Amino acid sequence: MLGVTVRRLAAALPTLVGVVIVTFLLTRALPGDPAAYFAGPAATQQAIAEIRAKLGLDQPLPVQFLDYVQDLLRGDLGLSITTGQPVLHELTTRLPASAELTLLGLLFAGSVGITLGVLAALKQNSWLDNLCRVVATLGVSLPTFFTGLLLIYVFYYLLGWAPAPLGRLDAFASPPPHVTGFYLIDSLLAGDLETFRSALAQIVLPAITLGIFAVAPIARITRGSMLAVMGSDFIRAARGHGLSGRTVVVAYALRNALLPVVTTLGMVFSFLLGANVLVEKVFAWPGIGSYAVEALIASDYAPVQGFVMTMGVLYVLLNLMIDLLYQVIDPRVRLEA
Amino acid sequence: MSAAATLDAAKIGPHARVPVLDVRDLSVEFRTRSGLVRALEQVSLAVHRGECVGVVGESGSGKSVTAYAVMRLLDAAGRVTAGDVRFSGIDLLAASDADIADLRGREMSMIFQNPRAALNPIRPVGRQIADVLIRHGGVTRDQAPDRAVQLLAEVGIPDPRRRAHAYPFELSGGMCQRIGIALALACRPALLIADEPTTGLDVTTQAVIMDLVTTLARERGMATVLITHDLGLATEYCDRIVVMHAGHVVESAPTAEIFATPRHPYTAKLIAATPRPGVPLSGLVSIPGNLPDLRATNLAPCRFLARCDRAHADCAVPPLLRQEEEGRMVACRHPL
């Protein structure tokens, strides 16, 4: 297992190098002049030129790139021009918010999607199967920002069940002592149920908004894969040996059916990382997605590069986890690895 | 009364001479996209305690469908439309799903064709045997693994303690078939249905597997149904042979008699097509034509009609005539 982990990480290095090059070039290719933006509308040509020199933007591209890589190797992601803060610091403080949201969304999507898919497969062409199909279609066709606004309108404005969509905690609560950065976990560690409830109330709507989008692909893959497995020889044999319905469905069929679902989970997760950006905007969530959008609008290179780098690293780690999970589920993969 | 209780009563009751398995006039249909398939029509066969009955026929003749119908393992598309299946007096077609699940694996077991595909690919084989034992065998969770290892040893698997942790993909086809046998025999059933237990195995392994099955069956007085397309194999191991063609039982008789005096033209052709000592391979005669399309609505009463060189005009007149005498049955108007 450890050997595989190391090998997969090593294999991911070229990917990360690619990410570094592409993000650097992309940010340079974007329209807009950060020096002009930073100097403000009233600045003279000379002032803008001075700022450009100060930021190193007057250098030729290869030189800028070398500077960038050298900083990167020292773990320095640069300063944000708009906030004046080190990008690394801002990303690390904001990352837990995004991660907590995405993981909870994935948890929601996974539990709902797998359950729906299994039920739909077991009761083929029943009302449940049809419901699964409707949810699948709706989930993919509604854009996340729309689902988000709809949920806010219904559950906050009309019903008043949800708190105002204003970040991770309501205005009167203070964040729990920092351990993992996940408020739900940290508040429980501190034994602070009040904060836990507040954090949970805040995260439910955005997590569902994010998750609904992913329910569809998970449910559909689960249904298809479950149908295929339920029709296979070894399920007939398991029933032929008298195993109970639950053992057949859970221990025999579902575990086999999960293999393609795990692959889908991986793809869906990277999908969610992207969808995060919009959901964070709608719910005023202080994560890295909203941070990156603001930086992008301000032509603020360093945070955008930092954001894309973070996403790249997350993506590599995620794929590694999927690979390892595969080995836990399927003994045949262990042999090849 | 539960099926198990009925079964015990039947074992010791006055019906001791009832066949372990008694299938009468069983008809099965499949609804498919391209129409209704009449897969079985009035199939009858009986197996007594300690007896081995071979069900023989080419692919698609309905051998496996018969087995699945008996075990109530037909696909959702398949439906029993008529007939009666009794296992030690229990009406299997009327029994509840729960009763059937109790009987399967404990009182009536099946060895499935394609041994590797019939095993859960991602569960150690020892655990799969333990699953069945825990379900039926009255062993506790702690005892089950040891008992599974014991069963592996009984079916001749070397180093059973280590092999119990192996996955099907790590074992050879013959090993997988031994696991399949261990699974089927784990709870010492009264009836064993072996569906092509040796297909895909090399000849040496075939013989070893068949000897294993028949030895265990004889030791335990099991009733055995051996489903095979290999008439030679059936003759070697079975007391009686039931010949199937296109969903019909065309002939059934004791093994020696069917070989000496086949009465159905299909049986005769099957024997002529089977390699046997003293006959060169060039002396084998293949059977002309194919199985009829069972979706057709105008099927002749005798489904062998189109392939038969003894066909008379009255063969096309329904019903199909089944003649019975002295423990033999032949479904032909003009038997040999």
Side-chain angles (χ1 to χ4, degrees):
Chain A
M1 202 80 146
L2 190 71
V4 179
T5 314
V6 172
R7 240 175 305 153
R8 291 288 151 95
L9 276 178
L13 278 177
T15 318
L16 288 180
V17 170
V19 168
V20 170
I21 297 174
V22 171
T23 45
F24 177 81
L25 290 178
L26 269 183
T27 42
R28 292 320 187 263
L30 285 176
D33 182 352
Y37 183 88
F38 187 56
T44 60
Q45 279 300 323
Q46 198 200 348
I48 294 176
E50 271 172 26
I51 289 171
R52 185 170 289 131
K54 203 177 122 207
L55 293 174
L57 293 173
D58 56 344
Q59 304 286 328
L61 268 191
V63 178
Q64 286 189 40
F65 182 68
L66 275 182
D67 282 349
Y68 172 61
V69 172
Q70 271 172 6
D71 286 347
L72 212 56
L73 288 178
R74 273 186 280 116
D76 181 0
L77 292 178
L79 290 180
S80 160
I81 311 177
T82 33
T83 63
Q85 294 285 321
V87 171
L88 186 65
H89 171 78
E90 289 199 283
L91 281 177
T92 42
T93 46
R94 281 165 165 266
L95 185 60
S98 292
E100 190 175 30
L101 180 60
T102 314
L103 285 176
L104 209 66
L106 193 69
L107 190 71
F108 169 80
S111 41
V112 173
I114 291 177
T115 314
L116 264 184
V118 168
L119 292 177
L122 293 182
K123 307 246 179 258
Q124 216 186 333
N125 297 324
S126 66
W127 64 269
L128 243 165
D129 194 10
N130 290 324
L131 177 78
C132 180
R133 213 165 293 152
V134 171
V135 169
T137 317
L138 275 185
V140 197
S141 41
L142 295 180
T144 40
F145 64 88
F146 178 78
T147 334
L149 291 177
L150 189 74
L151 288 179
I152 292 173
Y153 179 71
V154 173
F155 291 100
Y156 168 62
Y157 182 74
L158 287 185
L159 297 172
W161 293 357
L166 292 173
R168 304 179 75 185
L169 287 173
D170 68 57
F172 305 105
S174 51
H178 182 96
V179 184
T180 59
F182 289 18
Y183 283 4
L184 289 178
I185 296 177
D186 286 355
S187 59
L188 280 185
L189 287 178
D192 185 352
L193 286 181
E194 195 62 38
T195 311
F196 177 76
R197 210 168 299 136
S198 167
L200 187 64
Q202 292 288 342
I203 205 174
V204 164
L205 282 195
I208 289 180
T209 307
L210 203 56
I212 280 182
F213 199 59
V215 165
I218 296 176
R220 274 175 46 191
I221 296 285
T222 309
R223 177 180 180 274
S225 149
M226 194 70 185
L227 274 178
V229 172
M230 285 304 281
S232 63
D233 282 358
F234 76 91
I235 291 297
R236 192 201 290 269
R239 289 177 49 220
H241 293 128
L243 296 186
S244 67
R246 236 190 56 199
T247 314
V248 171
V249 169
V250 179
Y252 279 64
L254 185 57
R255 255 197 85 192
N256 275 279
L258 274 184
L259 296 170
V261 178
V262 168
T263 316
T264 317
L265 274 182
M267 290 189 324
V268 159
F269 191 77
S270 53
F271 220 46
L272 290 189
L273 281 178
N276 232 337
V277 174
L278 288 170
V279 177
E280 285 180 9
K281 268 315 226 198
V282 172
F283 287 89
W285 201 258
I288 56 173
S290 46
Y291 175 64
V293 172
E294 277 152 31
L296 194 61
I297 293 169
S299 297
D300 195 352
Y301 289 168
V304 176
Q305 286 168 344
F307 171 78
V308 179
M309 275 292 294
T310 314
M311 288 303 207
V313 172
L314 278 182
Y315 195 72
V316 166
L317 288 180
L318 172 78
N319 275 302
L320 179 71
M321 264 170 55
I322 299 281
D323 276 352
L324 296 180
L325 199 58
Y326 237 98
Q327 293 191 37
V328 171
I329 299 179
D330 192 345
R332 287 165 294 189
V333 181
R334 269 172 242 168
L335 204 71
E336 291 158 23
Chain B
M1 191 159 48
S2 78
T6 325
L7 183 70
D8 289 338
K11 266 183 183 165
I12 53 169
H15 309 293
R17 264 314 290 170
V18 298
V20 175
L21 177 68
D22 194 0
V23 179
R24 287 213 188 129
D25 297 331
L26 181 69
S27 298
V28 171
E29 287 177 358
F30 282 88
R31 272 159 297 175
T32 67
R33 269 176 213 188
S34 48
L36 202 63
V37 177
R38 291 171 190 80
L40 294 185
E41 208 171 67
Q42 293 192 292
V43 166
S44 300
L45 63 97
V47 195
H48 289 86
R49 197 181 131 77
E51 190 184 28
C52 180
V53 171
V55 177
V56 180
E58 59 200 290
S59 307
S61 57
K63 308 176 304 271
S64 294
V65 173
T66 309
Y68 292 153
V70 167
M71 297 290 288
R72 290 254 306 256
L73 285 172
L74 285 176
D75 297 338
R79 204 163 55 93
V80 174
T81 51
D84 189 39
V85 179
R86 283 184 189 273
F87 171 67
S88 305
I90 304 167
D91 184 347
L92 287 184
L93 297 180
S96 71
D97 285 347
D99 282 347
I100 288 290
D102 282 345
L103 289 175
R104 280 187 203 138
R106 196 187 63 181
E107 296 294 344
M108 49 183 206
S109 277
M110 192 160 166
I111 298 174
F112 292 85
Q113 48 177 312
N114 194 351
R116 201 187 305 275
L119 293 170
N120 186 341
I122 58 172
R123 205 169 177 81
V125 292
R127 277 200 62 194
Q128 301 191 42
I129 298 176
D131 286 339
V132 176
L133 288 171
I134 292 168
R135 169 75 173 85
H136 298 300
V139 297
T140 63
R141 254 161 218 291
D142 306 335
Q143 299 164 334
D146 284 336
R147 180 83 187 98
V149 170
Q150 213 177 319
L151 282 164
L152 289 178
E154 276 178 38
V155 293
I157 287 184
D159 199 357
R161 197 156 288 284
R162 194 167 61 83
R163 289 284 157 71
H165 298 289
Y167 293 92
F169 74 93
E170 296 170 319
L171 300 172
S172 67
M175 285 289 175
C176 286
Q177 194 54 288
R178 284 167 196 266
I179 309 279
I181 295 170
L183 275 166
L185 301 185
C187 303
R188 306 192 162 249
L191 169 70
L192 172 70
I193 301 179
D195 187 2
E196 305 271 12
T198 59
T199 349
L201 304 182
D202 62 84
V203 184
T204 329
T205 319
Q206 268 188 20
V208 175
I209 294 283
M210 280 314 299
D211 287 339
L212 180 67
V213 172
T214 43
T215 311
L216 291 172
R218 205 166 302 132
E219 272 173 17
R220 301 171 185 194
M222 263 189 322
T224 311
V225 178
L226 173 66
I227 295 176
T228 177
H229 61 267
D230 183 348
L231 188 60
L233 192 79
T235 355
E236 203 171 324
Y237 293 98
C238 298
D239 306 311
R240 292 180 62 82
I241 286 180
V242 172
V243 181
M244 287 190 77
H245 176 266
H248 283 167
V249 171
V250 293
E251 182 162 10
S252 109
T255 306
E257 291 180 30
I258 215 167
F259 241 80
T261 55
R263 301 207 59 207
H264 196 282
Y266 180 63
T267 315
K269 288 201 184 298
L270 212 53
I271 293 172
T274 304
R276 52 202 182 280
V279 178
L281 279 180
S282 56
L284 300 180
V285 189
S286 72
I287 304 174
N290 288 309
L291 289 176
D293 182 358
L294 299 185
R295 289 169 301 192
T297 44
N298 57 345
L299 271 178
C302 171
R303 293 179 175 181
F304 189 60
L305 187 58
R307 304 170 80 178
C308 186
D309 46 20
R310 299 168 49 86
H312 288 58
D314 60 346
C315 288
V317 180
L320 176 65
L321 200 65
R322 292 184 170 83
Q323 307 185 37
E324 287 189 55
E325 55 180 54
E326 296 161 26
R328 294 192 65 161
M329 191 284 283
V330 58
C332 183
R333 278 181 191 269
H334 305 282
L336 294 162

